[in-house]
């Protein structure tokens, strides 16, 4: 009895020593009611005050992380918003398909360092026909049985190994650089990366060419950047093929969604009904497949190409549902837009007039002025040029370019009047030639050869830049070659090179003297004096 009392007091004293300084004496909850049935759940619970019972082992709730130098922060602070990324795939059986028996699906496994949670995401592909995206939402994933009471931690991950997540086997193939460096610092020996096997059905889909591939274009950024910005072009439609006229149009290009709207400018007393729009706002295709006159069909195998801002240029043509529309001009905002985006300047283009072709009566300027209004007005002349250049006449010496022995020795005086760009040709009389001299071409503007007579555009005439020593001119279907000029012409060319062009640099009197075979002392003034003509 004495021994039992001694042993009892000894145990009390030892327990007193063990509990000396201890503050927690709480007991773990070992029983719980589930659906009205009492259950024992305390086999893994610790003893009094949180102390482990005999035979119990500590199971860590989270992974063990290497502490940083001089940092004792908890993991949810030190590794906030940091995750390890692993590339993986799993094989899925397809029993109810004749085209494939299995499918290889690639995915990414994210392991969040702050709380050991795992997330599995599969990249989404268009027209895949299977649900993709997040396969496993972020949470702590338990280990496969019989260790399903534990969870995956960082030491369960490695490259070129298999992991079972909810009865689905994932094969980890590779990881990113951050994950690789983090695992190496933990002392984990990484395996070599492996290759993802080919999916036979995916290879078959890549080789297939769909009739009408649908692509999604993200236009939200374009809408936010260019909302309210509209390019304005001035254009016209030539509808004069059969009892029509020329229509003036305004083309509006909306940068927010690449749509085009065309408005018609209806002048007063035109006899036409005013319509609100020539073309409703929509995307304008470049080529449209038409069947018949009013029926258009969308062919599935044809991919339509629509007009964009880079296709709209001054002078360019647009196919607006079979109508030829020509762009002539644009506003200042449009010019600044092309200058800032493409670095090009847009010049203005005149709208072609609706004047009929030249009839042959009178001059072309008179005929054109009669079509511009009800009251006939004579064509306006450059009065300032007439007053300043009235007394300025350029005189040249020329000969006829021909193989006729009589005509090739004839000498002509070509006078160009700077006041109105008119030309006159005079032939000085020469003795014993058998040719009577005199006026060869009356003063007037001379058209350049090779132009159509009956046309709507004005003809081109000879100017002062076309007359220089060595030039060949055609007057009345006769070719003349200029040989020399008088002193006044040479001096005027030296003082006004911007009016006569750059060809005057090649003027030389040696060209005239060698071509005419006359003594070196002869000049144009001396030749003119043969016929009694005074050269100014």
């Amino acid at each position: 009895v004495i021994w039992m009392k001694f042993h009892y007091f000894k145990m009390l004293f030892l327990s007193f020593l063990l509990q000396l300084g201890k503050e927690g004496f709480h007991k773990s909850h070992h029983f719980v009611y589930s659906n009205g049935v009492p259950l024992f759940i305390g086999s893994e619970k610790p003893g009094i005050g949180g102390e482990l019972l005999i035979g119990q082992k500590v199971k860590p709730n989270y992974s063990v992380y290497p502490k940083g130098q001089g940092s004792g922060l908890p993991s949810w602070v030190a590794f906030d918003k940091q995750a390890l990324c692993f590339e993986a795939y799993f094989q899925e059986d397809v029993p109810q398909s004749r085209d494939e028996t299995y499918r290889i699906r690639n995915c990414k496994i994210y392991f969040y360092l702050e709380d050991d949670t795992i997330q599995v995401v599969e990249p989404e592909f268009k027209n895949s026909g299977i649900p993709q995206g997040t396969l496993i939402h972020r949470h702590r994933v338990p280990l496969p049985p019989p260790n399903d009471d534990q969870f995956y931690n960082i030491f369960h991950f490695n490259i070129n190994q298999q992991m079972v997540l909810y009865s689905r086997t994932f094969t980890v193939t590779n990881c990113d650089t951050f994950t690789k460096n983090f695992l190496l610092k933990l002392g984990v020996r990484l395996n070599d990366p492996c290759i993802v096997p080919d999916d036979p059905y995916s290879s078959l889909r890549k080789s297939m060419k769909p009739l009408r591939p649908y692509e999604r274009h993200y236009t939200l950024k374009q809408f936010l950047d260019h909302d309210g910005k509209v390019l304005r072009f001035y254009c016209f439609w030539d509808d004069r093929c059969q009892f029509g006229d020329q229509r003036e149009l305004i083309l509006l290009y909306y940068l927010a969604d690449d749509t085009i709207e065309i408005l018609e400018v209806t002048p007063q007393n035109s006899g036409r009904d005013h319509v609100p729009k020539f073309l409703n706002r929509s995307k304008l295709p470049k080529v449209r497949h038409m069947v018949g006159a009013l029926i258009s069909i969308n062919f599935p195998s044809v991919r339509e190409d629509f007009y964009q801002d880079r296709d709209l240029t001054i002078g360019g043509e647009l196919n607006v549902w079979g109508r030829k529309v020509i762009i002539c001009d644009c506003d200042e905002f449009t010019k600044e837009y092309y200058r800032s985006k493409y670095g090009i300047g847009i010049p203005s283009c005149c709208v072609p007039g609706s004047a009929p072709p030249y009839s042959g009566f009178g001059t072309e300027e008179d005929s054109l002025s009669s079509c511009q209004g009800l009251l006939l007005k004579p064509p306006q002349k450059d009065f300032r040029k007439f007053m300043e250049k009235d007394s300025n006449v350029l005189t040249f010496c020329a000969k006829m370019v021909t193989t006729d022995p009589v005509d090739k020795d004839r000498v002509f005086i070509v006078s160009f009047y700077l006041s109105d760009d008119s030309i006159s040709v005079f032939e000085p009389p020469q003795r014993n030639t058998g040719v009577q001299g005199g006026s060869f071409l009356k003063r007037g503007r001379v058209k350049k050869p090779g132009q159509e007579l009956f046309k709507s555009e004005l003809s081109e005439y000879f100017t002062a830049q076309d007359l220089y020593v060595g030039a060949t001119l055609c007057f009345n279907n006769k070719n003349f070659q200029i040989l020399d000029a008088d002193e006044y012409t040479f001096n005027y060319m030296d003082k006004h090179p911007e009016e006569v062009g750059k060809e005057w640099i090649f003027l030389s009197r040696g060209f005239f003297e060698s071509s005419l075979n006359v003594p070196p002392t002869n000049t144009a003034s001396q030749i003119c004096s043969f016929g009694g003509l005074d050269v100014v």
Side-chain angles (χ1 to χ4, degrees):
V1 176
I2 297 175
W3 174 254
M4 293 179 60
K5 291 182 178 181
F6 175 76
H7 185 68
Y8 175 74
F9 284 107
K10 182 180 178 180
M11 294 297 296
L12 290 178
F13 181 74
L14 291 177
S15 63
F16 174 75
L17 293 178
L18 293 175
Q19 296 177 2
L20 186 64
K22 186 177 180 180
E23 298 180 356
F25 296 94
H26 59 277
K27 294 182 179 181
S28 301
H29 188 68
H30 295 274
F31 297 94
V32 70
Y33 279 92
S34 178
N35 297 327
V37 179
L39 299 176
F40 176 74
I41 60 171
S43 59
E44 303 294 335
K45 297 294 184 68
I48 299 175
E51 295 182 357
L52 296 178
L53 300 178
I54 300 174
Q56 287 185 344
K57 296 181 180 180
V58 178
K59 295 181 180 179
N61 294 328
Y62 302 98
S63 301
V64 180
Y65 302 96
K67 294 183 179 181
Q69 297 180 1
S71 174
L73 299 176
S75 60
W76 57 273
V77 176
F79 300 105
D80 184 26
K81 299 181 181 180
Q82 295 186 11
L84 305 182
C85 180
F86 297 91
E87 298 178 2
Y89 72 91
F90 66 94
Q91 180 175 330
E92 181 183 25
D93 296 333
V94 186
Q96 299 179 355
S97 177
R98 64 177 183 178
D99 297 332
E100 53 180 346
T101 58
Y102 68 93
R103 185 178 299 163
I104 302 297
R105 301 176 62 176
N106 298 320
C107 59
K108 289 188 178 182
I109 302 177
Y110 295 97
F111 182 84
Y112 295 89
L113 298 174
E114 54 182 331
D115 53 0
D116 283 7
T117 54
I118 297 176
Q119 182 183 9
V120 180
V121 179
E122 182 182 7
E124 297 183 2
F125 293 94
K126 299 177 182 179
N127 302 328
S128 62
I130 55 178
Q132 296 176 328
T134 303
L135 301 181
I136 300 178
H137 290 272
R138 178 180 174 180
H139 68 285
R140 299 188 69 190
V141 180
L143 294 173
N147 301 322
D148 51 352
D149 58 337
Q150 301 180 19
F151 300 94
Y152 278 99
N153 56 40
I154 193 173
F155 296 104
H156 293 99
F157 287 86
N158 204 332
I159 301 176
N160 198 1
Q161 72 171 13
Q162 293 184 350
M163 301 178 60
V164 180
L165 305 179
Y166 293 112
S167 302
R168 181 174 287 178
T169 304
F170 293 84
T171 302
V172 182
T173 59
N174 204 346
C175 64
D176 57 0
T177 306
F178 173 77
T179 304
K180 186 179 299 183
N181 295 335
F182 190 86
L183 294 177
L184 291 177
K185 290 181 180 180
L186 285 179
V188 179
R189 185 175 180 180
L190 297 177
N191 302 328
D192 296 332
C194 61
I195 302 175
V196 181
D198 296 333
D199 185 15
Y201 185 71
S202 299
S203 302
L204 178 63
R205 283 180 57 87
K206 291 180 181 179
S207 61
M208 296 171 58
K209 295 181 179 180
L211 296 179
R212 187 180 180 89
Y214 292 92
E215 297 182 1
R216 183 177 180 181
H217 300 279
Y218 298 94
T219 58
L220 179 59
K221 183 179 184 302
Q222 179 183 359
F223 174 77
L224 296 177
D225 294 342
H226 302 287
D227 184 25
K229 298 181 180 179
V230 182
L231 304 181
R232 181 184 295 267
F233 295 91
Y234 303 99
C235 46
F236 74 96
W237 170 39
D238 193 356
D239 190 27
R240 294 178 294 179
C241 55
Q242 290 182 355
F243 310 105
D245 55 358
Q246 185 171 287
R247 309 279 193 91
E248 295 184 9
L249 307 174
I250 297 179
L251 188 144
L252 303 178
Y253 184 87
Y254 295 87
L255 297 174
D257 52 359
D258 296 332
T259 55
I260 293 178
E261 181 182 16
I262 300 179
L263 308 177
E264 182 178 1
V265 180
T266 306
Q268 296 181 356
N269 301 327
S270 62
R272 293 186 177 273
D273 295 334
H274 179 71
V275 294
K277 294 179 181 179
F278 185 81
L279 176 66
N280 288 329
R281 180 178 176 179
S282 61
K283 287 191 174 184
L284 181 61
K286 295 182 180 179
V287 179
R288 194 67 174 178
H289 299 273
M290 306 297 293
V291 178
L294 301 176
I295 303 176
S296 66
I297 297 179
N298 291 330
F299 292 94
S301 59
V302 178
R303 181 176 180 180
E304 293 183 348
D305 189 11
F306 299 96
Y307 281 103
Q308 297 183 359
D309 56 349
R310 59 176 176 269
D311 301 324
L312 305 179
T313 57
I314 301 300
E317 299 179 0
L318 275 74
N319 182 13
V320 182
W321 300 101
R323 295 167 178 82
K324 181 181 177 182
V325 176
I326 301 177
I327 301 176
C328 300
D329 200 359
C330 60
D331 58 356
E332 293 298 330
F333 173 77
T334 306
K335 295 180 181 179
E336 184 63 27
Y337 173 79
Y338 279 89
R339 188 181 300 107
S340 59
K341 183 176 181 180
Y342 297 103
I344 57 175
I346 300 181
S348 299
C349 178
C350 297
V351 180
S354 57
Y358 175 56
S359 60
F361 296 94
T363 62
E364 296 181 357
E365 290 78 5
D366 292 335
S367 300
L368 182 61
S369 61
S370 63
C371 301
Q372 294 177 351
L374 297 177
L375 299 178
L376 299 181
K377 297 180 180 180
Q380 296 183 357
K381 298 182 179 180
D382 193 350
F383 183 76
R384 181 177 180 180
K385 179 180 179 181
F386 176 78
M387 296 300 296
E388 293 179 355
K389 307 291 183 181
D390 185 24
S391 60
N392 297 334
V393 181
L394 304 182
T395 305
F396 301 90
C397 182
K399 69 174 183 179
M400 189 177 297
V401 180
T402 180
T403 57
D404 191 353
V406 179
D407 294 337
K408 68 179 182 179
D409 294 333
R410 300 170 62 182
V411 180
F412 300 88
I413 302 300
V414 180
S415 301
F416 186 85
Y417 300 87
L418 296 175
S419 59
D420 55 356
D421 295 340
S422 58
I423 298 176
S424 65
V425 180
F426 180 81
E427 181 180 5
Q430 301 185 34
R431 296 178 181 179
N432 302 325
T433 58
V435 178
Q436 184 179 2
S439 177
F440 182 84
L441 178 64
K442 189 178 179 180
R443 178 180 174 178
R445 300 178 65 188
V446 181
K447 297 182 181 179
K448 293 184 179 180
Q451 301 185 66
E452 186 180 356
L453 178 60
F454 303 101
K455 59 183 184 301
S456 301
E457 297 80 9
L458 296 177
S459 301
E460 296 183 4
Y461 295 87
F462 283 107
T463 60
Q465 298 180 358
D466 300 324
L467 279 73
Y468 54 90
V469 173
T472 302
L473 309 177
C474 182
F475 302 145
N476 293 339
N477 296 328
K478 299 291 184 179
N479 294 328
F480 293 85
Q481 186 178 22
I482 298 179
L483 304 178
D484 199 1
D486 59 355
E487 292 294 338
Y488 175 81
T489 303
F490 278 103
N491 296 333
Y492 187 87
M493 288 181 176
D494 292 336
K495 295 179 181 178
H496 305 86
E498 69 280 356
E499 297 184 12
V500 297
K502 299 181 180 180
E503 289 80 1
W504 69 276
I505 302 176
F506 302 99
L507 296 174
S508 61
R509 304 192 182 198
F511 180 86
F512 165 74
E513 295 169 355
S514 61
S515 302
L516 194 58
N517 295 323
V518 297
T521 56
N522 290 347
T523 60
S525 301
Q526 295 174 347
I527 294 176
C528 294
S529 64
F530 293 162
L533 178 64
D534 295 333
V535 180
V536 182

